[in-house]
Amino acid sequence: MAAGPTPSATAASFRPPIPPPPPCFDYRAAVLADTRAAAAASGSPALAALVESGALVRVPRRRFGPVPAWRPPDFVEPEEVWILGTSHLSPESVADVERVLRAVRPDNVVVELCRSRAGIMYVSDASDEPLLKSNMFSLGGAKFFGAVNRSINLGGQSALALRLLLAVFSSKISSGANRPFGEEFRAARKVSEDIGAQLVLGDRPIEITLERAWKSLSWDQKTNLVISLFRGITSTDTPQDEKSAVSPYELYQKLSTSYPSLLQPLIHERDMFLAWSLKRSKAVNKSKIVVGVVGKGHMNGIVYALISDQGDLRFRDLVGRESSDTWVTSLVKGLIRDTIIGLVLWALYEQLQALL
């Protein structure tokens, strides 16, 4: 299993290399002809049905744009990239992943996970793991303290506290689904092993995403967000049926409605990072076929990034962190932040004890 490089603490400041898709952009229309032709050539009715539903698209290399000069001369982008849009709580998505991977037989399977969330692929359906260990924000697993340390190193204490809040909140609002989270990723791992494809962790580290999300908010917005999440966690209202469950993408969209500045770090930037993983990461060098297994809400942004990129997608521009504070300002803010976060973590611990 391949993972993207780990960003350093001195990474360059983030500069969005590609703007979000314009409102008029439709990923299906943009690549429909290529996708239909490839699906028809495969002779698989299942692929054709997924294409017509908009769940599956194909982007050939000729649509990628130029390979940037900074890439090593021996780097060759994949001949074609297939992207399958899934629902993280749907059994149909599991079957879709199995059909597509066995029909296309890719060299690489890129999943919408990072190193910190890869454990989702190894949670057994019959596992007695607590609910918190089966969502996109959890820190569960055999190496829990290692995961905590990684979260602090990459995103800082603020990102860790926000991640814990979202883990508890996501578990509560998804509890009505009565299904383990991320089954399509487990299916991708199993089929990849069967067909000899390399599994690639294609998402940006969640620690960096949450750190950037936190920094995008004003102090008033940070306070309101934390209060809102705590109210949701401690509320006695529970989901009544499966329709109440939401995916991480839907949760991000809901948060972005109340806090528009979150849309860029939580969704648009990750779309670009996933596009980079699919066509420009070292893991896919000289690949013939790459398949991406991602939440369906990311498809529009990923396809736009793939075909709009003119050599601008590069790792350092997708993970950079910035700080213009002096050491005195940083120290004062750090003391205030650590006090607040300490209280948040303690309250979360108390809440977790009650839930688990």
Side-chain angles (χ1 to χ4, degrees):
M1 179 173 63
T6 300
S8 68
T10 58
S13 297
F14 181 85
R15 300 186 304 275
I18 299 174
C24 60
F25 182 77
D26 179 2
Y27 74 95
R28 295 177 60 185
V31 293
L32 185 58
D34 285 318
T35 308
R36 276 180 173 166
S42 73
S44 171
L47 292 191
L50 288 170
V51 170
E52 296 307 317
S53 71
L56 181 66
V57 295
R58 171 185 177 267
V59 185
R61 184 195 294 166
R62 61 181 174 78
R63 298 293 304 276
F64 288 169
V67 177
W70 49 263
R71 251 300 171 219
D74 61 343
F75 180 82
V76 180
E77 293 181 341
E79 293 182 16
E80 56 184 309
V81 170
W82 293 77
I83 306 169
L84 176 63
T86 66
S87 171
H88 301 312
L89 294 166
S90 168
E92 288 78 13
S93 288
V94 176
D96 292 343
V97 168
E98 293 173 348
R99 293 189 192 102
V100 170
L101 295 186
R102 295 192 186 281
V104 176
R105 302 191 71 83
D107 304 298
N108 292 276
V109 178
V110 178
V111 293
E112 186 202 334
L113 293 172
C114 62
R115 178 180 171 185
S116 295
R117 294 173 291 148
I120 288 173
M121 293 186 292
Y122 299 92
V123 176
S124 169
D125 294 346
S127 173
D128 293 328
E129 297 279 336
L131 185 59
L132 278 177
K133 295 187 179 182
S134 61
N135 70 63
M136 291 290 260
F137 308 101
S138 54
L139 280 159
K143 299 181 179 179
F144 175 81
F145 291 105
V148 171
N149 184 59
R150 176 178 169 81
S151 280
I152 293 175
N153 286 339
L154 284 180
Q157 294 172 319
S158 299
L160 174 60
L162 182 58
R163 183 176 177 182
L164 289 172
L165 275 170
L166 288 170
V168 182
F169 184 71
S170 181
S171 292
K172 180 170 183 178
I173 64 177
S174 297
S175 61
N178 294 319
R179 296 195 62 82
F181 178 86
E183 285 185 290
E184 82 274 27
F185 297 131
R186 290 187 279 280
R189 175 185 63 82
K190 293 174 183 176
V191 178
S192 295
E193 293 171 352
D194 290 345
I195 65 177
Q198 178 180 221
L199 194 66
V200 180
L201 303 175
D203 204 354
R204 183 171 66 178
I206 190 172
E207 298 88 357
I208 292 178
T209 292
L210 293 180
E211 179 201 30
R212 288 191 49 73
W214 185 253
K215 286 184 175 180
S216 74
L217 300 172
S218 67
W219 276 105
D220 287 345
Q221 290 174 323
K222 290 174 182 177
T223 302
N224 290 336
L225 175 60
V226 170
I227 291 174
S228 296
L229 290 174
F230 263 118
R231 284 176 176 170
I233 291 169
T234 57
S235 170
T236 56
D237 296 332
T238 56
Q240 296 299 313
D241 53 40
E242 187 171 336
K243 294 181 180 179
S244 299
V246 299
S247 71
Y249 186 89
E250 292 171 318
L251 175 56
Y252 285 160
Q253 283 189 313
K254 290 176 183 294
L255 289 174
S256 298
T257 299
S258 300
Y259 309 96
S261 62
L262 291 178
L263 193 62
Q264 176 77 15
L266 294 182
I267 297 178
H268 296 327
E269 292 175 12
R270 291 177 57 230
D271 290 345
M272 287 184 282
F273 194 96
L274 287 163
W276 173 85
S277 296
L278 286 163
K279 78 167 184 175
R280 193 157 292 155
S281 63
K282 292 180 180 179
V284 301
N285 184 21
K286 296 183 175 68
S287 296
K288 181 179 180 181
I289 301 174
V290 174
V291 171
V293 178
V294 304
K296 58 187 177 182
H298 288 288
M299 295 183 73
N300 208 55
I302 292 174
V303 173
Y304 182 77
L306 285 175
I307 66 178
S308 300
D309 171 41
Q310 294 298 305
D312 301 314
L313 285 178
R314 55 193 303 167
F315 178 77
R316 72 183 188 187
D317 294 334
L318 297 173
V319 298
R321 287 177 283 176
E322 57 187 355
S323 177
S324 58
D325 292 339
T326 65
W327 71 270
V328 176
T329 303
S330 297
L331 178 62
V332 173
K333 285 186 175 180
L335 290 173
I336 296 173
R337 179 199 62 203
D338 290 348
T339 301
I340 295 173
I341 290 173
L343 294 173
V344 170
L345 291 175
W346 177 255
L348 266 177
Y349 175 78
E350 294 292 317
Q351 186 65 38
L352 288 174
Q353 292 294 99
L355 288 174
L356 302 180

